[in-house]
Amino acid sequence: MKIILKFIVLFLLFSSCIDSVTKKETEFLTNAINQVPVDNHYKWIVILPGTGCHGCIQEGEYFLKSHIENNEIFFVLTKISSLKILQQKTGVSLNNRENVLIDKRLIFNIPTQNNIYPCVVSLKDGKVVSHSFQSPGNTALYDLEKLL
């Protein structure tokens, strides 16, 4: 009985930690969106970090290349070490695009351990509805692609 009780307590503690991280990320994303001109017509924001999980970032770059013309997606490029190299890798000119923000001030550098993963933010009327990360255990970009 004590083992079951310990398991329940650990589960509740762990789940509350996850909820607090998610809440922190949501509040951060809401504040970041309020700092930059993100039009209300966008349905998604895709945040692509320049550093972090290599395979996940490559998936994000491929997604960017495939969907750069989609006017429902706002792309944020944060922690980018070289815009020129990114443009060469993707074959996409990223300058002067209305749906691309080069985040030089790191406004969208999410303050949790998830900042190494691309992030998909779902919006409704310019407000954050939900967010998820493209990580080894999560398919956020694939899930978004199915919705497009």
Side-chain angles (χ1 to χ4, degrees), residues 34-90:
N34 289 334
Q35 291 182 47
V36 296
V38 179
D39 287 347
N40 286 349
H41 78 273
Y42 291 112
K43 292 184 178 180
W44 298 281
I45 296 176
V46 175
I47 303 168
L48 300 176
T51 59
C53 173
H54 184 69
C56 304
I57 292 170
Q58 283 182 323
E59 289 181 45
E61 291 168 351
Y62 179 78
F63 185 89
L64 169 75
K65 180 179 180 176
S66 301
H67 299 284
I68 191 67
E69 299 298 333
N70 188 322
N71 63 2
E72 295 180 327
I73 303 173
F74 187 76
F75 291 94
V76 176
L77 309 175
T78 191
K79 296 189 292 182
I80 301 296
S81 58
S82 171
L83 183 60
K84 185 176 181 178
I85 290 173
L86 178 60
Q87 290 179 124
Q88 288 174 341
K89 283 171 51 176
T90 60

Side-chain angles (χ1 to χ4, degrees), residues 102-137:
I102 311 300
D103 183 23
K104 294 178 182 175
R105 297 185 311 164
L106 304 179
I107 294 169
F108 284 86
N109 185 18
I110 298 170
T112 67
Q113 292 180 349
N114 289 322
N115 70 356
I116 64 170
Y117 303 116
C119 181
V120 175
V121 182
S122 176
L123 301 173
K124 181 167 182 159
D125 300 323
K127 307 286 185 217
V128 176
V129 174
S130 64
H131 70 282
S132 60
F133 294 92
Q134 176 69 38
S135 66

